[in-house]
Amino acid sequence: MTTLMPAPENGSAPTPAPTPTEARGGRTGLSLPGPCRAVLRQHRTALWITVALFALAAAALIADRLWVAHAADVFTASDCSIRHTTRECGDSVRGYLDAELQLDRNLDYLGMGLLALPCLIGAFVAGPLVGRELETGTYKLGWTQSVTPARWLADRLLVCAALVAAGTAVLVAVQRWAWTTGPDHAYSRGPWYERAIYGSVGPVALAYALLGLAVGALAGLLLRRTLPAIGAAVAVTAGAVAALPLLRPHLWPTETVTWSRTGPPATPPFGLPVERGLLTADGGRLPESLCWGPDPQRCLADHQVTGRYAEFHPSSHFWPLQLVESGIVLVLTAAAVYAAFRLLRRRAA
């Protein structure tokens, strides 16, 4: 219901009272807050380049995956076989295998790109987003315009986190679709536990991206200089991306298989190997390399080896490992964000 202001003395029509939206300066409920819009305007070039790169990578992988599907249809219609081919089928087999090989390479390229993405995010947040403003003193203008230091940092992290989360989620979805779908006789797809694949087809990709953002914010606030902050953020984030996956085989209980000393290995295909060794008559375990000497049979007999064992993660452990590792990375992310706000509060006091 519109409220009318009192009519002026000259008898003109009453003026409607301003609505709550007009009183707030014309901003609707769907508009971004002013500080967030300021961040977008200030870094719009870098953000637009990031969006374009995300879109280009997703479109390229989708096009490649569709090309492989077309090559597979053409190959299937030719009635040729990969394993038992003839001279007439050489071009068809070569064309299909080349398409599959290129898709496998592109999956690795995008996977390695997603592994490097946290470092790039950390460098951007530590440098242009936080460190440069603290180094040049431009943050003082925002802090004097009714924006608290905590709100100043929160708006920057929220804008960057929203872009990172949306872009990473799209790339992970496209990567997983391209990796899990396709002809049943595709030979070149990497196993699920390869680092480039594992780190790009599940939630760990998003978790590491957010960790890079948090580390970048902490480095920028701690060093307050652009280049040192960028270097520290890249070094710490790269160390985390390289070191944390070393714990991956131990994040979930493994499965164990045993077989006789002379029998073939019983480990199933597509499993992540963790440990292999020798079994003695009393049930003890020995390292597999113990009998790699010049007389392995005598060594096995001297140590009363009766069989072998292997511990591994089957493909069904993919999601438990992903969720546990993502939880650990997100805890580290939350700790870095908390430390950043505590540091900002101490320095702004």
Side-chain angles (χ1 to χ4, degrees), residues 96-118:
Y96 171 67
L97 292 181
D98 287 346
E100 273 287 346
L101 179 60
Q102 187 59 50
L103 176 60
D104 182 60
R105 289 175 177 173
N106 289 340
L107 289 172
D108 286 339
Y109 294 154
L110 183 56
M112 289 185 290
L114 285 172
L115 291 179
L117 181 62

Side-chain angles (χ1 to χ4, degrees), residues 61-77 95-96 99-100 103 177-178 181-183 185-186 189:
L61 190 58
I62 291 174
D64 193 13
R65 171 62 187 81
L66 295 178
W67 174 46
V68 170
H70 172 71
D73 293 339
V74 172
F75 178 73
T76 302
Y96 171 67
E100 273 287 346
L103 176 60
W177 167 74
T181 61
H185 44 75
R189 306 296 168 81

Side-chain angles (χ1 to χ4, degrees), residues 48-135:
W48 274 116
I49 292 175
T50 302
V51 171
L53 291 176
F54 278 137
L56 182 61
L61 190 58
I62 291 174
D64 193 13
R65 171 62 187 81
L66 295 178
W67 174 46
V68 170
H70 172 71
D73 293 339
V74 172
F75 178 73
T76 302
S78 66
D79 294 329
C80 293
S81 173
I82 293 178
R83 296 188 183 277
H84 306 285
T85 187
T86 61
R87 180 174 300 180
E88 292 77 11
C89 292
D91 292 339
S92 298
V93 172
R94 190 179 302 108
Y96 171 67
L97 292 181
D98 287 346
E100 273 287 346
L101 179 60
Q102 187 59 50
L103 176 60
D104 182 60
R105 289 175 177 173
N106 289 340
L107 289 172
D108 286 339
Y109 294 154
L110 183 56
M112 289 185 290
L114 285 172
L115 291 179
L117 181 62
C119 298
L120 299 178
I121 295 171
F124 174 74
V125 174
L129 200 66
V130 175
R132 186 171 62 188
E133 293 209 14
L134 295 177
E135 183 178 14

